[in-house]
Amino acid sequence: PKPKPQEIPLEILYEDNDLIVINKPVGLVVHPAPGNYENTLVNALIAHCGQSLSGISGEKKPGIVHRLDKDTSGVMVVAKNDKTHEGLSKQFASHGKDGKLIRSYKALVWGIPNIQSGKVETYIGRSNNNRKKMAAFKEEKKGRKLAITFWKRIKFNRELDISIIECNLETGRTHQIRVHMQSIGHPLVGDRRYGCRYLLPKMADETTIRTIRGFKRQALHSRRLEFAHPRGGSPQRFVADRPGDMEELVDALELDFEKYS
């Protein structure tokens, strides 16, 4: 069915006649799909500015240039007209190789990487064992796409064996960060699909254990998004604060995100 307007509150970071930038909350599906035909970001956008949204992606995905998983929070940009949609899509398609587009995420992962930073380059496609999951592959085959993630260790807690990392994407594949971090032995905290949801540190006290068990999603946040405005080319930079549940988790684990200058 064609999406209908629904009055759903949005945290708008910026808006003009061409685009809108939001801080997507946890639990909000981006566009209608089987099992989620209502209460999506698209429904909220139609209610907010439905007459001006780009139609390039079809009536079920108006204005949608890229997306975040349901339980991933953070910065997203939406196109209000076709020209803007085309301009943004070109930047996403170039994977930031021209320096215009930067997609930076923060994540909590299990374990402490033994190097400060690294690059994960694989092909991502449907898992051979579970078609509902994605997996990393070394070889290119039909249905698999090249995926490149640059990561950097920000902080860690040796007693709890947990780290905060920053991930910058050169490609944007389904579940890319979650799959790539699992593939190098550092699954995201709370990730039921690609990691151990309740992997508990031996040194954790009862309060910390309760906090970890109460965190019911992957600890992943789209922290920063940079791009050139399709109208005029001026550089745009947007940063979204981490949501409350991740704030509580970080505080409980005695960690803190490094701030951007």
Side-chain angles (χ1 to χ4, degrees):
K2 185 177 180 179
K4 299 178 180 180
Q6 290 180 283
E7 295 293 338
I8 301 172
L10 294 175
E11 182 181 346
I12 298 174
L13 303 178
Y14 174 80
E15 183 176 8
D16 61 23
N17 292 330
D18 298 302
L19 54 85
I20 180 171
V21 181
I22 67 161
N23 181 10
K24 190 189 85 67
V26 175
L28 183 65
V29 175
V30 170
H31 57 75
N36 288 285
Y37 288 112
E38 296 183 344
N39 298 310
T40 71
L41 174 60
V42 163
N43 296 110
L45 289 169
I46 292 174
H48 178 73
C49 56
Q51 298 301 318
S52 61
L53 291 173
S54 165
I56 289 179
S57 293
E59 64 179 15
K60 291 186 179 181
K61 302 178 183 179
I64 301 302
V65 180
H66 68 123
R67 71 180 190 88
L68 299 175
D69 294 337
K70 175 183 176 181
D71 289 330
T72 297
S73 56
V75 189
M76 275 191 65
V77 61
V78 176
K80 281 188 169 184
N81 54 63
D82 290 354
K83 184 177 180 180
T84 299
H85 197 131
E86 290 173 352
L88 290 171
S89 294
K90 287 180 181 178
Q91 294 182 56
F92 277 89
S94 71
H95 309 310
K97 293 178 182 178
D98 55 8
K100 295 178 181 179
L101 181 74
I102 296 176
R103 287 173 290 174
S104 183
Y105 292 72
K106 289 292 179 67
L108 272 71
V109 301
W110 293 113
I112 302 172
N114 55 14
I115 55 177
Q116 184 66 38
S117 61
K119 173 184 178 182
V120 185
E121 181 172 351
T122 71
Y123 294 94
I124 286 182
R126 293 289 174 184
S127 169
N128 294 327
N129 299 320
N130 185 344
R131 302 298 293 175
K132 293 183 179 181
K133 295 176 61 175
M134 309 303 287
F137 300 93
K138 293 181 179 180
E139 298 179 350
E140 180 179 12
K141 288 185 178 181
K142 184 179 179 180
R144 300 175 185 176
K145 296 181 179 180
L146 179 66
I148 300 174
T149 302
F150 294 91
W151 63 268
K152 178 171 65 174
R153 190 183 68 204
I154 301 299
K155 287 192 175 183
F156 60 88
N157 186 312
R158 193 172 297 280
E159 288 187 350
L160 298 179
D161 197 33
I162 195 171
S163 303
I164 290 179
I165 61 166
E166 175 186 318
C167 288
N168 291 311
L169 300 184
E170 188 172 300
T171 57
R173 309 308 180 197
T174 301
H175 301 166
Q176 180 172 319
I177 292 176
R178 300 163 65 185
V179 171
H180 270 175
M181 295 314 298
Q182 180 207 38
S183 72
I184 63 172
H186 298 288
L188 271 60
V189 172
D191 195 337
R192 290 183 277 183
R193 183 169 295 188
Y194 297 105
C196 182
R197 184 181 180 188
Y198 296 138
L199 180 63
L200 300 175
K202 295 180 180 179
M203 301 296 291
D205 57 28
E206 291 185 5
T207 301
T208 301
I209 290 174
R210 283 198 301 269
T211 302
I212 294 174
R213 283 179 170 166
F215 195 81
K216 301 183 183 298
R217 66 178 182 94
Q218 65 271 8
L220 182 62
H221 177 64
S222 174
R223 166 69 175 171
R224 178 169 54 112
L225 178 64
E226 297 184 25
F227 57 88
H229 199 294
R231 188 185 297 272
S234 61
Q236 306 292 309
R237 183 180 187 273
F238 301 98
V239 175
D241 293 332
R242 62 182 182 252
D245 63 342
M246 189 176 285
E247 185 88 25
E248 293 176 3
L249 180 63
V250 170
D251 289 344
L253 299 175
E254 299 180 352
L255 296 166
D256 195 9
F257 284 138
E258 179 179 290
K259 296 181 179 179
Y260 288 100
S261 59

